[in-house]
């Protein structure tokens, strides 16, 4: 049986692994089979991770974090976790291909998943013009006209990045002000290829085998219009990935895993959570990494307390015999 299993391979998971490995706990980190590295794998330049004044590419940062975790003895397996059993002293984690693993403690660092618009045709045209990842799919939209939905940092980042390929990028936002940070807003506002479509929501996507246009509804006066585009990038935020723990761990009203105060402790002993899966507000690579640190330290203390209790019980037994 292992000491600690970490589920998730974003900044929270790998930072937890670095700390746990340096504490001699030989962690097993289960990274997804297709999404290993988490969201930063889909990011271009990361300009706000301390220590990189020139910026660093998201995938490069993740490779470095993995190298650092492995250097201290983390075992990384690329496989999907399909089920977890968390209530007993021995936690078990089932995977798609690598079998079932057992540990005395588990850290959930499963991050969050792209939010969907939830409209008809979004799924049908997924991969046929509808995308959630500009860095993955932007290349396919050379000289095309496309739309990005959303008003946060993600939408601004995606729109700005997509101007490298597309001839024109509409940003469709349901309000007339952006949620994005000032610097990201400015970058988008000054980009000649970007045009904002304010107070508008996407209510339909036209096209049989590929995106041909969007049906928009004005959120102020309810009027409808058509926007001819060949691509739609959805950048409207993320939802925490908690499907594995439904019915086992307590969740917050916002849908994140509930933890005790500033700690990573869930409602079950030996089960900890870190990163975007517990954080509906800040959701930065740096805050996720810090949260991973907290989880590793909490798990370390939990395991030490178990060892201490076991040693004391053994001593009592010896002195009684
Ligand atoms: P946010 O939650 O910040 O923004 C989501 C945007 O999508 C909002 O403008 C919201 O509109 C809009 N939206 C939400 N749901 C819908 C819907 N159903 N239909 C239409 N529009 C919708 O998410 P982000 O992914 O942009 O950012 C998340 C976090 O990650 C933030 O903390 C951000 O700062 C950070 N981030 C940082 C980056 C960087 O620094 N390089 C890059 C990307 C993200 P409304 O405003 O009306 O609520």
């Amino acid at each position: 049986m292992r000491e600690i299993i970490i589920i998730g391979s974003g900044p929270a998971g790998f930072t937890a692994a670095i700390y746990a490995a340096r504490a001699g706990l030989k962690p097993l980190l289960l990274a997804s089979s297709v999404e290993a590295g988490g969201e930063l794998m889909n990011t271009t330049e990361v300009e706000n991770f301390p220590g990189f004044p020139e910026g660093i590419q998201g995938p490069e940062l993740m490779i470095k974090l993995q190298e650092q975790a492995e250097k201290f003895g983390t075992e990384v397996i690329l496989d999907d976790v399909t089920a977890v059993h968390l209530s007993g002293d021995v936690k078990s984690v089932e995977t798609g291909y690598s079998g079932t693993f057992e540990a005395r403690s588990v850290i959930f660092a499963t991050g969050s998943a792209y939010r969907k618009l939830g409209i008809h045709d979004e799924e049908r045209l997924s991969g046929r013009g509808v995308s959630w990842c500009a860095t993955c799919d932007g290349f396919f939209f050379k000289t095309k006209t496309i739309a990005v939905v959303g008003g946060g940092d993600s939408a601004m980042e995606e729109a700005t990045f997509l101007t490298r390929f597309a001839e024109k990028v509409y940003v469709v936002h349901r309000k007339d002000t952006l949620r994005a940070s000032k610097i990201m807003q400015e970058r988008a506002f000054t980009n000649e290829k970007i045009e904002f479509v304010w107070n508008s929501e996407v209510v339909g996507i036209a096209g049989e085998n590929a995106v041909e246009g969007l049906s928009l509804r004005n959120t102020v006066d309810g009027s409808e219009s058509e926007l001819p585009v060949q691509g739609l990038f959805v950048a409207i935020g993320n939802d925490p990935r908690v499907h594995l723990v439904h019915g086992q761990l307590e969740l917050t009203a916002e849908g994140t895993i509930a933890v005790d105060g500033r700690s990573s402790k869930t409602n079950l002993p030996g089960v900890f959570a870190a990163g975007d899966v517990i954080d509906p507000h800040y959701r930065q690579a740096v805050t996720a990494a810090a949260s991973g640190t907290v989880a590793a330290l909490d798990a370390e203390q939990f395991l030490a307390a178990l060892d201490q209790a076991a040693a004391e019980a053994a001593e009592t037994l010896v002195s009684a015999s």
Side-chain angles (χ1 to χ4, degrees), residues 48 151-154 157 173-175 179 236-237 282-284:
N48 49 13
D153 279 338
S154 296
E157 188 175 70
H173 183 39
R174 61 187 181 184
K175 291 186 183 143
R179 185 193 288 244
I236 59 171
Y282 301 105
R283 305 190 54 254
Q284 303 296 304

Side-chain angles (χ1 to χ4, degrees), residues 43 57 64 96 122 148 163 186 194 202 231 237 248 262 294 305:
T43 309
Q57 295 293 309
K64 281 183 182 295
E122 186 181 15
V148 174
T163 58
E186 281 312 314
I194 296 178
V202 179
Q248 300 191 65
R262 294 186 63 198
V294 170

Side-chain angles (χ1 to χ4, degrees), residues 70-128:
E70 287 178 328
K71 177 179 149 185
F72 295 113
T74 303
E75 182 185 354
V76 178
I77 294 182
L78 300 180
D79 202 346
D80 296 311
V81 174
T82 52
V84 291
H85 307 280
L86 303 171
S87 54
D89 289 344
V90 177
K91 324 291 178 195
S92 74
V93 178
E94 295 172 21
T95 63
Y97 300 101
S98 316
T100 299
F101 299 95
E102 290 184 338
R104 297 204 294 166
S105 66
V106 172
I107 294 176
F108 277 90
T110 44
S112 56
Y114 297 127
R115 194 172 287 155
K116 304 213 163 136
L117 289 168
I119 57 172
H120 190 55
D121 292 332
E122 186 181 15
E123 286 298 330
R124 186 176 65 81
L125 290 166
S126 161
R128 296 163 179 239

Side-chain angles (χ1 to χ4, degrees), residues 14-39:
F14 276 126
T15 308
I18 291 166
Y19 273 75
R22 289 194 75 246
L25 296 171
K26 296 193 174 65
L28 167 66
L29 185 144
L30 295 167
S32 156
S33 60
V34 286
E35 289 176 348
E39 264 188 82

Side-chain angles (χ1 to χ4, degrees), residues 191-232:
N191 191 314
E192 286 177 356
K193 285 186 172 181
I194 296 178
E195 182 178 333
F196 283 81
V197 182
W198 300 108
N199 295 320
S200 297
E201 56 188 1
V202 179
V203 290
I205 309 169
E208 199 55 46
N209 295 311
V211 172
E212 290 170 9
L214 305 179
S215 300
L216 304 181
R217 185 191 297 134
N218 188 293
T219 52
V220 177
D221 61 19
S223 60
E224 300 213 348
S225 60
E226 303 296 320
L227 187 67
V229 294
Q230 291 101 47
L232 170 65

